[in-house]
Amino acid sequence: MRHLRTSVPVSARSPAPTAAGGGLLPAKELAVAWSLIVLIAVPAWILTVGQARDMGVGPGTMGMAIPLFLVLWVTMTAAMMLPSMAPVALTWVRGIGRRSSGWRRAGRTLEFVGGYLLVWTAFGLLAYAALALTGDLVDDHPAAGRWIGAVAFLLAGLYQLGPLKNVCLRHCRDPMSQLVRYAGFRQPARDLRVGVHHGTYCVGCCAGLMVVLVPLGMMNVAAMAGLAVVIFVEKLWSRGPLLARSVGVVLLVLAVLAPFQDWLLPGLQESSPSMDGM
């Protein structure tokens, strides 16, 4: 027994980060799965970039009604989050394929994806309220934009360094233990609950970073691309937690600079043309 204890490999005792999770799927299936992700993510980015070009960067919701905002928000979410949440999603969907077929398989897969997007849609409603509030404040008091930006960077930085971020990031970086946990979920709506559960942790992992879209602009393509890279690397790189803390420190520095550097606040400057007609 003593020999068995000492011969257990380190990886069995310490969950590997998602970056090492290629073993969750056979190499051939992994290649096919990532190809499908690219086929979904690329059109989502194309739609997001195209819409951003038409809208420009401005404060608040830029006159968008809630339905249009949520459509753009979900599209942006798919573009930014899909690669980083792929390991858990792909393996769970593969399990669905093993136990179901035909319409049942399609229905369960849609249930899982729907649960994930449901959480991000709910977060989108909070984002809409925050953007509407800050947009109104900037319209009424343009100078307030500097302090709104400073507060946004400060909150984002503190969140990156806080315990909730660490808990959620650990969840997202340990796909195997989450899949084992999800296997214990029971009906009804098992796949929907898995999607909601994983989506909640994903929102918790990325919420601080998404806050910086208030000062940088909700449709700022460069900001979205940068955040997508940070989110991807945080979850998949072996030193992802260190990156998360480093980004938190950088955001705190930006909070100090924001009141004096207008170039840090493109999303809190003069409004772009209204989109009320959309």
Side-chain angles (χ1 to χ4, degrees):
M1 294 295 291
R2 183 177 299 174
H3 174 72
L4 289 175
R5 287 194 189 101
T6 56
S7 63
V8 176
V10 174
S11 60
R13 300 195 305 267
S14 179
T18 306
L24 291 173
L25 290 174
K28 184 177 179 180
E29 292 187 27
L30 191 66
V32 173
W34 276 104
S35 298
L36 290 174
I37 287 174
V38 171
L39 289 176
I40 297 172
V42 168
W45 271 110
I46 291 174
L47 289 172
T48 301
V49 172
Q51 191 63 52
R53 281 185 178 179
D54 293 338
M55 294 171 60
V57 178
T61 63
M62 293 179 286
M64 284 185 286
I66 290 181
L68 175 59
F69 178 88
L70 290 179
V71 169
L72 294 178
W73 178 264
V74 171
T75 302
M76 182 180 71
T77 297
M80 295 176 63
M81 305 300 168
L82 185 58
S84 63
M85 60 87 69
V88 171
L90 291 175
T91 310
W92 185 257
V93 170
R94 180 174 181 251
I96 290 175
R98 284 179 169 179
R99 295 175 178 81
S100 308
S101 60
W103 289 107
R104 175 61 178 160
R105 177 191 299 175
R108 290 189 61 191
T109 301
L110 287 175
E111 199 174 317
F112 169 76
V113 175
Y116 183 85
L117 292 179
L118 180 64
V119 178
W120 274 103
T121 300
F123 186 65
L125 291 173
L126 294 177
Y128 184 89
L131 288 167
L133 176 61
T134 57
D136 289 343
L137 286 173
V138 171
D139 287 341
D140 295 338
H141 309 283
R146 297 184 176 188
W147 302 106
I148 293 172
V151 170
F153 284 125
L154 176 63
L155 292 176
L158 292 176
Y159 189 90
Q160 282 289 109
L161 298 171
L164 183 57
K165 167 73 178 192
N166 185 55
V167 169
C168 294
L169 183 58
R170 188 165 61 244
H171 169 99
C172 294
R173 287 173 53 81
D174 187 10
M176 187 57 73
S177 68
Q178 304 315 318
L179 292 167
V180 171
R181 179 178 183 180
Y182 293 155
F185 282 22
R186 297 181 179 180
Q187 297 292 356
R190 179 190 186 191
D191 299 293
L192 177 67
R193 289 167 57 211
V194 171
V196 168
H197 187 274
H198 188 58
T200 300
Y201 273 98
C202 188
V203 167
C205 186
C206 305
L209 294 173
M210 300 300 280
V211 168
V212 304
L213 290 177
V214 172
L216 297 181
M218 204 273 292
M219 297 307 295
N220 187 327
V221 175
M224 284 188 280
L227 292 176
V229 171
V230 170
I231 291 168
F232 183 83
V233 176
E234 276 186 351
K235 293 182 180 181
L236 303 185
W237 187 34
S238 61
R239 298 183 181 274
L242 175 61
L243 173 65
R245 293 191 293 272
S246 300
V247 170
V249 173
V250 171
L251 291 173
L252 293 180
V253 173
L254 295 182
V256 175
L257 296 177
F260 315 103
Q261 303 291 331
D262 287 343
W263 62 272
L264 289 173
L265 310 172
L268 294 170
Q269 304 297 320
E270 181 110 3
S271 299
S272 299
S274 176
M275 297 186 63
D276 290 329
M278 298 185 69

